[in-house]
Amino acid sequence: MHREKWGTKLGFMLAAMGSAVGLGNIWRFSFVAGNNGGGAFLLLYLLFVLIIGIPLLLTEVSIGRKAESDVVGSFQKLAKGTPWYLTGFFGIISSFLILSFYAVVAGWAIFYFWNYINGSFFTQPAVGYEGAFGQFISHTWHPIAWTALFMILTITIVLSGVKKGIEAANKIFMPLLALILIALAVFSLSLDGASEGVKFLFQPNWSALSEPSIYIAALGQAFFSLSLGMGAMLTYGSYLRKENKLPSAALGIGLMDTFFAVISGLVIFPAVFAFGIDPSSGPPLVFITLPSIFEQMPFGGIIGLVFFFALILASLSSSVSILEVPTAYFMRVFSWTRFATSVLMGSIMFVMGIAVSLGFGIWSGVTPIGEKNILDSMDYIASNILLPLGGLSMALLVGWYFKKSEALESADLSSSSIGGFWYFIVKWMAPILIVLIFLNKIGIIF
Ligand code: PHE
Ligand code: NA
């Protein structure tokens, strides 16, 4: 069967950046940083992005480009007769877990957008923003309707083909989102009491480092934010032409994604402290904080409207890359059409999303893992466990199964001075760090 290719390298870059930049940078980054004490978490996160994330991003895209297949097929092709392809199935499971909650949160963002269109969030509702948000997410079917809308949009883009679907929107709205975030950060930093938030984000509380869960949280955030370890970047890489050079692309995507996360932190935390919001409010954090910022800002209503519009588009370019993972796989093995496959996969994810959404209302007592509700449990399994394991498996494939020359060639690093360094990370450092972080969490070492 004929496989699509990106029009240009820029097309790939836009799609991959679109995949990376999304709710992970603003929504997930903020609440995970807030839950894990701020500064120490940020430091670990930046470290992991630099020494594990960006090198493995290059690894993942290289695997896809070399194999020119989906997340299962690529491993079957490159490591014939080995169990490596199981990584692909973990990736597919992750894609279902992630998109089912991603769509719920994106649905919340659409609801906010709607409230800026009709003006009802221009000023604090009688119950306050926190109260209004709480009422909304605990309603039985309202949030599900917005989730459905987001899934329909995602499916529509995927069924019309990745290339046509996303290149154009990203070109305009990513820069727009960046501009708005910078303006919001400037405003947020000018609020009374903002400096507390800056301290929270940039002054590490070293004692937090003795908590094993901070490492796994930072690792999971690095993987989630870079769209790493489940095959989204692999699948996008598989639509690349051989002549496109990868190292600069991986670096650019990684830096861009990190920039969005840090700027979001500078928007959220000064405001969190200025408005007396609890930084460890969990998933609702940005949905409580942002409207309070917009309310104080001149032209805040309009800015809020444009912001949520740009956030929805950023979320769409991420959700599309998640849905593309199982779609590419099932299309190939069963020879289904792109249309039927994406509708079927998206529908299953939507049904799972219903459970996630009810987890904030009538099913709030359902806690699959410890105290975690349905969203937190699915997120934990996917982001903190399956994605790093996927990344580990990809690193081992390229570091140990490939010959060194083959590994360097796959990443376009044969004649580069940083090739040896990258290879060392992929072969030794990243795998060892990931394993140590897991062992530490389980309580086996330290
Ligand atoms: N990186 C995306 C974000 O930050 C989410 C994502 C995770 C996309 C995993 C693809 C794969 O919003
Ligand atoms: Na991201």
Side-chain angles (χ1 to χ4, degrees):
M1 193 174 36
H2 175 73
R3 298 185 92 247
E4 251 187 298
K5 289 279 177 199
W6 302 111
T8 56
K9 179 175 173 185
L10 181 68
F12 163 77
M13 284 295 286
L14 286 169
M17 280 181 184
S19 170
V21 176
L23 291 168
N25 306 61
I26 297 169
W27 163 74
R28 198 179 188 284
F29 172 80
S30 304
F31 89 76
V32 177
N35 278 345
N36 288 279
F41 169 86
L42 178 67
L43 206 69
L44 282 179
Y45 163 73
L46 293 176
L47 190 74
F48 292 162
V49 165
L50 215 63
I51 62 174
I52 302 178
I54 293 176
L56 290 195
L57 182 59
L58 176 56
T59 308
E60 180 168 339
V61 177
S62 310
I63 294 174
R65 187 186 58 171
K66 184 174 165 79
E68 290 184 288
S69 185
D70 52 83
V71 64
V72 176
S74 291
F75 291 97
Q76 285 170 333
K77 221 166 174 174
L78 297 179
K80 279 195 194 66
T82 72
W84 242 295
Y85 69 92
L86 293 174
T87 316
F89 288 114
F90 282 125
I92 288 176
I93 294 171
S94 306
S95 72
F96 279 91
L97 290 172
I98 292 177
L99 193 47
S100 51
F101 71 77
Y102 206 87
V104 170
V105 179
W108 299 347
I110 307 182
F111 170 73
Y112 270 53
F113 175 56
W114 172 242
N115 278 295
Y116 281 97
I117 292 184
N118 67 28
S120 46
F121 271 10
F122 281 18
T123 52
Q124 187 117 212
V127 288
Y129 288 120
E130 186 164 1
F133 179 68
Q135 278 173 7
F136 165 65
I137 57 170
S138 58
H139 191 276
T140 302
W141 59 269
H142 284 173
I144 294 176
W146 296 106
T147 303
L149 176 60
F150 183 78
M151 269 324 286
I152 290 170
L153 293 172
T154 302
I155 294 169
T156 309
I157 301 176
V158 172
L159 62 80
S160 50
V162 266
K163 201 162 80 181
K164 271 181 280 158
I166 35 186
E167 289 192 22
N170 282 340
K171 229 181 273 186
I172 305 167
F173 286 98
M174 279 242 291
L176 183 65
L177 186 63
L179 283 179
I180 303 177
L181 280 172
I182 292 170
L184 288 179
V186 171
F187 180 76
S188 191
L189 287 166
S190 76
L191 292 166
D192 269 344
S195 58
E196 276 307 302
V198 177
K199 274 192 212 138
F200 179 81
L201 194 59
F202 291 111
Q203 256 180 26
N205 166 11
W206 300 112
S207 66
L209 294 179
S210 61
E211 182 59 57
S213 55
I214 193 179
Y215 298 89
I216 202 124
L219 186 70
Q221 178 58 25
F223 271 83
F224 186 92
S225 197
L226 293 171
S227 306
L228 206 59
M230 71 166 228
M233 291 297 185
L234 183 154
T235 306
Y236 275 9
S238 76
Y239 304 133
L240 262 175
R241 293 163 205 281
K242 297 277 184 218
E243 62 271 18
N244 297 136
K245 293 286 168 272
L246 300 184
S248 58
L251 186 66
I253 297 162
L255 293 179
M256 170 74 81
D257 186 65
T258 309
F259 166 79
F260 272 92
V262 174
I263 284 285
S264 304
L266 281 173
V267 173
I268 300 298
F269 289 106
V272 159
F273 284 87
F275 299 132
I277 296 166
D278 176 7
S280 55
S281 302
L285 183 68
V286 297
F287 289 95
I288 306 170
T289 311
L290 286 167
S292 311
I293 303 179
F294 295 130
E295 189 189 30
Q296 305 273 313
M297 255 179 128
F299 306 105
I302 303 293
I303 300 174
L305 189 150
V306 182
F307 171 84
F308 280 105
F309 187 70
L311 181 62
I312 293 162
L313 290 178
S315 311
L316 269 175
S317 56
S318 302
S319 62
V320 161
S321 73
I322 304 174
L323 181 55
E324 183 65 18
V325 170
T327 301
Y329 169 70
F330 285 101
M331 271 173 71
R332 176 180 60 84
V333 275
F334 296 117
S335 307
W336 294 340
T337 60
R338 174 169 275 280
F339 186 95
T341 317
S342 55
V343 172
L344 180 65
M345 299 302 135
S347 305
I348 299 172
M349 290 159 171
F350 170 65
V351 172
M352 292 169 66
I354 294 177
V356 173
S357 185
L358 294 178
F360 290 91
I362 54 172
W363 286 356
S364 58
V366 181
T367 51
I369 302 181
E371 311 247 280
K372 294 181 165 59
N373 69 8
I374 300 178
L375 186 153
D376 289 329
S377 301
M378 287 170 61
D379 181 27
Y380 191 87
I381 296 174
S383 313
N384 291 6
I385 301 174
L386 293 179
L387 297 187
L389 284 180
L392 174 63
S393 166
M394 293 173 194
L396 294 178
L397 178 82
V398 172
W400 293 86
Y401 188 83
F402 286 9
K403 289 195 289 284
K404 182 172 182 181
S405 56
E406 202 183 355
L408 290 172
E409 197 196 307
S410 73
D412 301 325
L413 284 173
S414 303
S415 53
S416 160
S417 53
I418 57 164
F421 183 55
W422 170 80
Y423 187 69
F424 169 76
I425 290 184
V426 173
K427 184 167 181 135
W428 296 104
M429 194 149 90
I432 289 174
L433 275 174
I434 294 172
V435 169
L436 283 181
I437 291 167
F438 275 124
L439 292 179
N440 181 36
K441 170 65 189 161
I442 304 170
I444 295 188
I445 48 161
F446 308 136

